[in-house]
Amino acid sequence: MNSARGRLSMAASPSSVSGLEVLLSTLQNSGDTSSILNILNVLDELLSAGTDRRIHYMISKGGSEALLTALVNTCCNASPNYTMLLPLLHLLAKIGHRDRHIGLKAEKAGAVLLTLNLLKCNIKHVRRASACLWVIQVLSSSVSTAKLIGENHGLDIIYSLLPQYTTKHLLTVKAAIHAFAALLCTKTNVCLAVSKGYISGLLRLYEEWHSKGSQHGAPAICHALLRCLHKVTHRTAGRQAIISQGGIKLLHQITQTCLSNKRLETLVEPTVQLMRKCLPKTCIPLASDWSAYTFALPGRPHFVPDTELASDGSSEDSDDEEADSHEADKDYDDDLETDVSKLRLRPDPDRPKNLLPQYSCFCPEFSYNFQEMDLVSEQEESSTTSSSSSDEDIVLLNSLFSHSTRKNRKRNSSTCELSPSLSRSNSETGVSSTAAALMEAHDFHSNNNTHSANLGIRTIESQAKEQDSRYQKQDGQDHEENHAQQSQSHRTMIDILLERRRACIPNHEPKLYCSAAAKARSIPGFTILAFPDFWGHISPSGREPMAPRKPDIQRKKVLEDIQRFLNTGDIINRVVFDLEDDTLQGPSDSLWFFSKFESGNLRKAVQVRRFEYDLILNADANCSQHSQWFYFEVSNMMAEVPYRFNIINCEKSNSQFNYGMQPVLYSVREALEGRPHWIRSGTEVCYFRNHFYPTRGRMKTSFYTLTFTITFKHSEDVCYLAYHYPYTYSALKTHLNVLQKSVDPAKIFFRQQILCHTLSGNSCPLVTVTACPASSGMKDMQQLRDRPCIMLTARVHPGESNASWVMKGTLEFLCSSDLVAQSLREAFVFKIIPMLNPDGVINGMNRCDLNSEDLNRQWCKPDPILNPTIYHTKGLLYYLNSIGRTPLVFCDYHGHSRKKNVFLYGCSVKETLWQSGSPVDTVGLKEDPGYRTIPKALDRIAPAFSFNSCNYLVEKSRSATARVVVWREMGVLRSYTMESTYNGCNQGIYKGLQIGTRDLQEMGVKFCQSLLSLTRDTNFFYSRSLVNHINLDHNILDHNSHNCFEDDEPPFIEDIEYSTDCTSLKGTDLDSDVNSNTASADEESEGDEEHMAKDWQD
């Protein structure tokens, strides 16, 4: 034995491989019992003392095959030697559990049915039966092996070993349950178990073992039984069997017991997961998955959504829940571009050069006459034009609100009266400010107009356009006088409210907003304004912390959803809002919803219980996907009552809502009382996979539920809920007009132009900002023409409203009198396209344009008809490049739904090749490291910015994005995507705080300030005087970014998905059980052994 041990010790090292091979050869061929036992004991000792690495080494040298051959040889004898057979089975179980191909190897060796026969002959011999069960368990890791065992009555044999509650032979009982579970990996075996009633038996066994609490190892047996049930639920037949046998109800009752017993808490999560898997698949309650909004594209037939009968969701194609889950993400490195020619060579332009001169008009700073006299006249002309435009807007607004009567106040009406009741109530003596605010909030109600109190702010798109054209055709003066008289005789509620309660909101004018909204073109033809957009928003004075997540809150919500299935007595299931049904009236005992306004998104609301609602979002126009953004009005609430909202058709597999993020809420009453704030709101917020499926066509799609609870502060208020702080197209248009009026044209060159029109006819604004030259002299004019260009874009994805708030900060800063802003204007010419996807923003979409394409994947070859904003933005870039004014910086502002902080994506050849492991020698590649200048500057000055979250890799999947195309085709070294979180920060002074509009606007300011690092006098950027000027204290200046190269969030403690199994048996757990079996005393008598030997011979 000592010599054998010495040989094996030598074999453990790679330099003495022959020693291990000799031992394995001896094990297969020797007939000497003593030698085989010695080898088995030495192997077991050595492998137990080491790590899995030793076992895998032995497997690589044929260890599994040697043990299987020894097993077959030993069992070929007329009377097997169990003294040798038992340790052989033990070692085979330990090694086989680490060998992925053990089942196939056993089939090849003929050991599968032999092991099953051994079990059949040793059912009454506990230690032998346990050893056989462990081997069967590991062999069943192969589907073909499990199927072979099932075809030879293996399920029946093992099921007979599953006793009612007992305190004896627990090791064998647990081994039998684990072996049974392993066999259920095949569809055939599951169907067999269902047909023989084994599922009902497993449920009864679980109930009985659970009733014993924590006695005599009952929890371990319960875990093993749950594993069996989890395996069953991989198949439709198994899930249906559990439901038909009352399994969900039984498991729910047992879970309630576990929650009150800390010793049984470990059973709760796998039981809840099991119930989630068994809940019947439910079709989302829509006639069609396709968006409620369809748009006829140029040159294509009008799209008609398919509304045929829905699939029942029980197709065998989706039988395996593991197959239903999302495909595993490909290795990130595989997505990196490794073709050096694609990384370095500039492709040919996508259009002829003779088309580029048309973009010269978008460089007005080159052709404008900056003579002093002209500046003065221009200032006067601008002032006159602006005033006239403003007066015209007010007249238009008053005319729109003065024509309707109370009788035709329907949701789909083209006109609406703004009730005079408000002026009457406010003229009464003794009406308190709070009471008046409440009345006004109620009067601003924009939904369910059959109720007498529900009066809305309504803009009439069609009538607005008709009247707008009338202004152009008729004599302007006569028309203005006519409407001025009407305005004096009929003052609108808007006028009264603005006089009495208007909060001073910087750079926002409600009446200008109304006018802009009246001209915005939407698919449904919006006729109603959302109050927050009209009234405006001021960031709250204090910053809001991330919401703490209660332990097991997801479990609580899931159990409530399961209760909906079990107890239908309190379930209402009543549709209270449908975007496609204008005749539907909200019941008086439910909340009232509305979303048919600019940027609004809510397709349907279903009242589930008295204070619980399922909400369904509208997909992007002309498609059936991309539901994430929501923005809707809710009213008719009771104060201090918790309302649960479930958005049930979210598509992303995880969300920052699981990590402290909350939706935002706006209260009309609070706004009228002087607090016009979007605030973070909602408790018990969580995000998890649900049991809904699409109506048809996308059976592999999984939906997720975002659930949160809102307790409204006021009864009969009108509130708005949104995914993030809304920023509409009309808000942008209003903001640009206010900014243009606010700048001094003698100092700041600010020009709005229309880059192009969108598919639905909305204008895409282009803004040019720079400093006016000191004089019209040649030197100053040449300095203007020599200024580098900076191009900034935003909102290509309409759901990323945070990008617009960042852009708002950028625009306001560049138009300010700030010293740094002045320096930037003198150093650069800014070309800004603040909204690349106006149609998507207006229609409340999340990702796409009206052609159902992601515009940020169209930059390689944009279609001039279907992608006009991208086509012409790229054309402007081509033009600037052709005249030698390639932008020094290009940055596209975005929002990121899965990460915290703000960060940049850039482009680098070397870093891409390094990260991808490319064999290309990068030593000889020369690359300007200047692409890191702005990120480094931002890391110095911006508290929300995370330098370590930035990367500069060029991915194949993003080859058609703005960042990559502008870098590759235009040669812009500093071409970036700036991503802003929806949630908040996990670093610096903002750590643990949710981001607000003030912080987003601050980020827009900081990005501008970072551009000073590109000026000739870079020392100015790092000077203490500038640092003081931009309000940075020492702590902010020296803050360190959080290292976020890995995923932003750790794996979540509660399973968002539910397709995972009950926790698998670990190799160490199996080893422990095997060792216990080895160490225990033989419990059978000699007579029993003789009886077993007789059975074997027979």
Side-chain angles (χ1 to χ4, degrees), residues 636-685:
N636 200 41
M637 69 282 289
M638 293 189 292
E640 305 304 327
V641 172
Y643 290 89
R644 179 182 171 184
F645 298 95
N646 310 306
I647 298 176
I648 62 174
N649 65 328
C650 301
E651 294 181 0
K652 295 197 173 184
S653 60
N654 200 353
S655 170
Q656 282 292 315
F657 283 114
N658 272 333
Y659 303 96
M661 177 175 160
Q662 295 169 287
V664 294
L665 178 144
Y666 190 105
S667 163
V668 172
R669 175 171 172 175
E670 289 287 308
L672 293 176
E673 290 182 353
R675 296 178 292 277
H677 309 309
W678 279 106
I679 60 171
R680 300 281 187 167
S681 186
T683 58
E684 300 186 336
V685 182

Side-chain angles (χ1 to χ4, degrees), residues 42-52 54 94:
V42 170
L43 285 173
D44 187 54
E45 234 180 274
L46 184 62
L47 296 178
S48 299
T51 63
D52 279 3
R54 289 187 178 184
K94 289 182 179 181

Side-chain angles (χ1 to χ4, degrees), residues 332 336 891 896 899-908 911-912 915 929-940 942-955 958 963 975-980 986-987 1003 1007 1010 1039-1048:
Y332 179 70
L336 296 179
C891 189
H896 204 293
K899 283 180 173 288
K900 293 185 173 72
N901 310 313
V902 181
F903 48 94
L904 290 174
Y905 291 139
C907 301
S908 165
E911 293 196 33
T912 302
Q915 180 70 29
Y931 61 86
R932 283 179 169 260
T933 304
I934 290 177
K936 287 181 178 179
L938 285 170
D939 197 45
R940 263 181 80 82
F945 190 80
S946 171
F947 180 78
N948 287 331
S949 293
C950 301
N951 80 50
Y952 313 93
L953 307 178
V954 180
E955 305 97 330
R958 289 172 173 80
R963 165 178 62 97
S975 180
Y976 303 109
T977 296
M978 184 161 72
E979 300 278 1
S980 299
N986 58 8
Q987 51 135 60
M1003 195 62 228
F1007 183 82
S1010 72
H1039 85 275
N1040 293 318
S1041 294
H1042 178 65
N1043 192 334
C1044 298
F1045 280 119
E1046 68 281 355
D1047 285 344
D1048 203 42

Side-chain angles (χ1 to χ4, degrees), residues 309-575:
L309 292 176
S311 168
D312 62 3
S314 60
S315 168
E316 286 298 319
D317 293 339
S318 62
D319 202 21
D320 194 337
E321 285 287 348
E322 290 178 350
D324 287 348
S325 62
H326 295 292
E327 293 183 6
D329 292 334
K330 295 181 179 180
D331 191 330
Y332 179 70
D333 290 349
D334 292 341
D335 189 37
L336 296 179
E337 183 59 75
T338 56
D339 187 334
V340 180
S341 63
K342 290 183 179 180
L343 288 171
R344 299 201 58 134
L345 297 180
R346 192 176 298 184
D348 295 331
D350 63 10
R351 68 199 77 189
K353 289 185 178 180
N354 60 7
L355 294 180
L356 300 183
Q358 64 178 310
Y359 297 102
S360 62
C361 63
F362 297 123
C363 296
E365 68 277 12
F366 294 158
S367 58
Y368 187 72
N369 189 342
F370 285 99
Q371 293 181 13
E372 185 175 354
M373 190 173 294
D374 288 343
L375 284 173
V376 174
S377 62
E378 177 70 14
Q379 183 175 358
E380 293 173 354
E381 181 184 346
S382 175
S383 176
T384 304
T385 303
S386 177
S387 175
S388 174
S389 175
S390 178
D391 291 342
E392 183 177 296
D393 291 340
I394 292 171
V395 171
L396 173 60
L397 184 63
N398 287 331
S399 68
L400 292 178
F401 292 143
S402 63
H403 296 303
S404 72
T405 65
R406 218 167 172 80
K407 293 181 180 178
N408 58 13
R409 208 169 53 233
K410 296 180 180 178
R411 186 178 302 172
N412 60 347
S413 65
S414 61
T415 59
C416 175
E417 177 188 38
L418 290 177
S419 172
S421 63
L422 180 66
S423 60
R424 289 198 302 270
S425 65
N426 286 340
S427 66
E428 296 176 4
T429 58
V431 177
S432 68
S433 174
T434 302
L438 175 58
M439 190 172 299
E440 289 161 356
H442 202 247
D443 284 343
F444 265 100
H445 207 209
S446 60
N447 183 22
N448 286 297
N449 295 293
T450 56
H451 297 279
S452 61
N454 302 338
L455 307 167
I457 303 176
R458 297 176 180 262
T459 58
I460 319 307
E461 184 183 47
S462 59
Q463 195 171 8
K465 290 171 184 173
E466 290 174 7
Q467 296 196 24
D468 199 27
S469 63
R470 250 182 253 142
Y471 280 119
Q472 299 172 5
K473 295 178 181 178
Q474 299 180 14
D475 181 81
Q477 184 176 358
D478 294 341
H479 200 71
E480 186 171 325
E481 289 176 357
N482 180 37
H483 282 287
Q485 292 173 2
Q486 292 185 21
S487 175
Q488 292 174 0
S489 61
H490 184 94
R491 296 176 67 221
T492 67
M493 185 175 69
I494 290 179
D495 295 320
I496 299 168
L497 276 176
L498 293 178
E499 287 176 10
R500 294 178 59 87
R501 300 187 176 278
R502 174 67 182 137
C504 182
I505 297 178
N507 297 313
H508 181 75
E509 293 184 11
K511 291 192 175 183
L512 287 182
Y513 183 88
C514 289
S515 177
K519 298 169 187 174
R521 299 185 179 185
S522 61
I523 294 175
F526 294 135
T527 62
I528 296 174
L529 297 183
F531 184 86
D533 305 322
F534 159 77
W535 198 252
H537 155 78
I538 300 176
S539 185
S541 57
R543 289 185 168 86
E544 299 172 278
M546 292 181 191
R549 181 172 173 126
K550 294 180 181 178
D552 304 318
I553 187 60
Q554 178 181 301
R555 175 199 298 171
K556 175 186 173 184
K557 295 302 176 183
V558 168
L559 288 174
E560 289 177 7
D561 291 346
I562 293 169
Q563 193 72 19
R564 282 167 59 173
F565 170 75
L566 296 174
N567 301 322
T568 58
D570 63 340
I571 302 301
I572 300 172
N573 268 349
R574 173 174 57 183
V575 177

Side-chain angles (χ1 to χ4, degrees), residues 68-87:
L68 289 167
T69 302
L71 174 64
V72 172
N73 293 340
T74 303
C75 292
C76 285
N77 298 327
S79 179
N81 185 339
Y82 286 99
T83 304
M84 184 173 64
L85 194 58
L86 202 57

